[in-house]
Amino acid sequence: TEIYTLSLHDALPISRLLREHPDVLSMSEFFSTLRIAAASGPAGFPTNDMDGAQLWHLLATPFPMLDAMISDGLRTDEMLYPDGGRFDPGSGIPLVSHYILPMLNADPDWLLDQLAAELPRWPKRPAAVQYQHLFGFLAALLERPVVVERSATSLHLIPLLHAQFPQARFVHLYRDGPDCALSMSRHPAFRREILAIGAVRTTRLPAGSTLQQVNDALPERFRGLICPPYDAARLRDFPIPVEVFARDRWSPMICAGVAALAQVPEKTSLRYEDLLAGPAASLRRLADFVGVAAPEPWIKQAERTIDPSRTGTASAELGAGALARLRAACEPGTRALAGARSEERRVGKECRSR
């Protein structure tokens, strides 16, 4: 079974909770990794036919921008490759080792060796078939029969994923808009992305210009913000109104994602705040949808590790004016979520009455 969890930023805890389930292979950021590895295909990750060697090249080749983030003091919570491993940012960490392998096994280098021995031998097949074989190989190797993929900001991929994996089931994990946008505003990758978008607009270079060319055309005070070497302190402190993250990222993604999910038959939703407030009920419902049991030790471990205070941060930390602007920027997405929840309740009532 392949289950693709579709979520916004700050959903890493769900990947960690699923990792502790004895039957779940928690593939964290797999589709994000593919988007980073190759810009081919309509949604930024490969959909063309490929052989195993090509797939392995995508996954094993280091990505200098991520290595630079670590070297320059911008490691994020999602970057789990351990210090002291076989690889380091200076020589290059295999892309698959940043996010995916450390979530699956305490020894990501051993897991990398297993993939290196297996994938290059695979014949040419459609990309979706290769990905499913990769999931199946890892599931068998690690004895985890159910695969759950979670990639942040993947809502815009729903139409493509549904077309590539028509039998997959979808979980929309969502968070309160102002809290999510505030969290994004503190994440170096999102800050860099917002600044890069603004830089492209500002420089007005010809279409097709590289990000490095854009960076070189910027005034000196913008250097170190969108291309390595990074100035970590300036990137963290550069003034970006928090409502920009709601207006340009959260609301558009939610609106597009809700519309796309309406076309998907096998789906459910999970509210981040409900998960934190009542992990047992939320995880049992998720496990039931995924098709696995919810063993009591797993539930108890989740209850011990979940931090229920990670809610209401925008209301608690922002002044009245900033909060009002943030809520206004979130309004389109908030309305879309409310409509989706209403429709989900209506469908649920109809199903129960049959």
Side-chain angles (χ1 to χ4, degrees):
T1 301
E2 285 80 37
I3 311 294
Y4 303 96
T5 64
L6 306 175
S7 58
L8 293 181
H9 168 59
D10 214 24
L12 183 62
I14 195 69
S15 289
R16 288 175 169 155
L17 291 175
L18 289 167
R19 175 182 61 184
E20 301 305 320
H21 193 290
D23 293 328
V24 172
L25 187 80
S26 182
M27 292 288 290
S28 185
E29 306 287 358
F30 177 73
F31 289 122
S32 291
T33 295
L34 288 176
R35 293 204 310 251
I36 293 170
S40 60
F45 74 84
T47 58
N48 51 293
D49 290 0
M50 66 174 75
D51 60 31
Q54 290 170 308
L55 174 59
W56 181 236
H57 178 76
L58 286 174
L59 296 176
T61 302
F63 192 73
M65 192 171 289
L66 291 181
D67 294 325
M69 287 182 67
I70 295 174
S71 297
D72 297 337
L74 293 170
R75 183 194 293 268
T76 67
D77 291 342
E78 298 87 354
M79 295 176 176
L80 299 174
Y81 188 75
D83 293 332
R86 185 188 307 166
F87 306 97
D88 62 76
S91 58
I93 298 171
L95 187 52
V96 71
S97 297
H98 277 292
Y99 306 118
I100 300 170
L101 300 187
M103 183 65 72
L104 297 177
N105 190 272
D107 187 351
D109 291 338
W110 170 81
L111 202 49
L112 185 82
D113 291 340
Q114 306 308 304
L115 294 177
E118 174 69 17
L119 267 61
R121 301 188 291 111
W122 289 358
K124 188 173 186 177
R125 294 181 285 215
V129 176
Q130 294 287 29
Y131 305 150
Q132 288 177 309
H133 274 79
L134 174 61
F135 296 161
F137 174 76
L138 289 170
L141 181 67
L142 299 175
E143 299 181 334
R144 302 291 186 101
V146 174
V147 180
V148 179
E149 195 281 342
R150 184 211 65 88
S151 284
T153 66
S154 56
L155 284 168
H156 69 285
L157 295 178
I158 293 171
L160 185 144
L161 290 175
H162 183 45
Q164 293 286 306
F165 308 99
Q167 303 304 315
R169 286 174 272 173
F170 292 79
V171 180
H172 180 200
L173 177 62
Y174 64 91
R175 187 182 186 184
D176 174 71
D179 283 0
C180 191
L182 181 61
S183 180
M184 286 177 169
S185 75
R186 294 169 175 171
H187 192 283
F190 284 102
R191 294 183 65 79
R192 179 198 157 276
E193 180 182 358
I194 289 292
L195 290 169
I197 292 171
V200 170
R201 293 170 181 166
T202 299
T203 58
R204 298 182 179 179
L205 290 176
S209 298
T210 66
L211 194 57
Q212 186 64 55
Q213 289 171 326
V214 171
N215 180 76
D216 294 343
L218 290 171
E220 184 66 30
R221 67 190 184 95
F222 292 102
R223 300 292 172 83
L225 299 180
I226 65 172
C227 286
Y230 294 108
D231 187 325
R234 284 205 301 140
L235 180 57
R236 292 192 182 100
D237 296 340
F238 195 89
I240 309 173
V242 66
E243 61 267 22
V244 170
F245 294 88
R247 183 195 68 212
D248 293 351
R249 296 296 281 135
W250 188 82
S251 275
M253 282 192 297
I254 287 290
C255 291
V258 165
L261 281 168
Q263 310 304 314
V264 174
E266 292 287 339
K267 62 179 181 292
T268 192
S269 62
L270 181 63
R271 184 171 174 263
Y272 185 75
E273 288 76 15
D274 291 342
L275 173 65
L276 298 192
S282 293
L283 290 176
R284 288 189 180 108
R285 186 165 67 84
L286 177 61
D288 182 65
F289 180 79
V290 168
V292 296
E296 199 60 25
W298 179 59
I299 296 294
K300 294 298 184 185
Q301 182 176 9
E303 291 177 327
R304 289 193 301 270
T305 57
I306 280 179
D307 179 7
S309 69
R310 293 169 63 90
T311 61
T313 51
S315 297
E317 298 179 20
L318 299 180
L323 183 60
R325 291 190 295 273
L326 178 55
R327 284 177 171 161
C330 287
E331 183 59 24
T334 302
R335 284 199 310 269
L337 279 176
R341 288 196 299 268
S342 177
E343 177 64 13
E344 190 172 2
R345 287 193 294 268
R346 183 190 67 77
V347 172
K349 288 179 181 178
E350 288 182 357
C351 291
R352 288 192 295 271
S353 66
R354 290 172 185 169

